[in-house]
Amino acid sequence: MGDCDLGFDESSCRTDPPNRFTPSPVLITSENIIHGKPHPQPFLLGAERLGIQPEQCAAFEDSLAGLQSVWAAGCQAVEVKTAHSVPHNLGQIPALEDYRSIRISPRYDHFFLSFQ
């Protein structure tokens, strides 16, 4: 599908050793929030617990409510298409069919997200 240079600083992409993506230890579940999607609280709380700004976060979502939540929080959205995906008017959002084609690589002080 394309490339997406999100330009986030390395606090949002821990690479240790270089070129190996390490997921964040932060997990937000329904027990941690009062307002669920499409409210921005899940993503705002995630960014807060990571110690970064929402604009530095990339969120992968497969539902309209999830995309609305990401957008409302000010995060960068990547839409994951499914059989249940519905058309939306949220604008041009990078999209992928599944996670198998995604590649994340460090680039200077941020990371580069690419997918086909």
Side-chain angles (χ1 to χ4, degrees):
M1 296 251 172
D3 294 334
C4 184
D5 189 351
L6 299 174
F8 305 127
D9 65 32
E10 285 192 39
S11 65
S12 58
C13 180
R14 313 261 191 252
T15 55
D16 182 25
N19 300 321
R20 191 181 85 197
F21 180 72
T22 304
S24 166
V26 173
L27 177 66
I28 304 299
T29 67
S30 60
E31 291 85 22
N32 305 115
I33 58 172
I34 296 169
H35 306 287
K37 301 170 188 174
H39 194 279
Q41 186 184 22
F43 294 100
L44 293 174
L45 181 58
E48 178 184 317
R49 289 192 179 175
L50 285 169
I52 59 177
Q53 296 298 310
E55 303 83 39
Q56 296 174 292
C57 297
F60 295 81
E61 270 297 337
D62 63 355
S63 71
L64 180 57
L67 290 170
Q68 291 169 328
S69 180
V70 171
W71 181 79
C75 301
Q76 299 288 325
V78 177
E79 182 176 7
V80 181
K81 298 283 191 173
T82 69
H84 304 289
S85 294
V86 297
H88 56 73
N89 61 354
L90 298 177
Q92 186 82 12
I93 298 174
L96 53 120
E97 299 298 321
D98 59 49
Y99 293 103
R100 291 177 292 193
S101 64
I102 196 166
R103 301 291 178 265
I104 301 172
S105 56
R107 186 161 295 176
Y108 307 108
D109 62 346
H110 62 279
F111 66 87
F112 186 77
L113 172 66
S114 62
F115 45 93
Q116 300 172 339

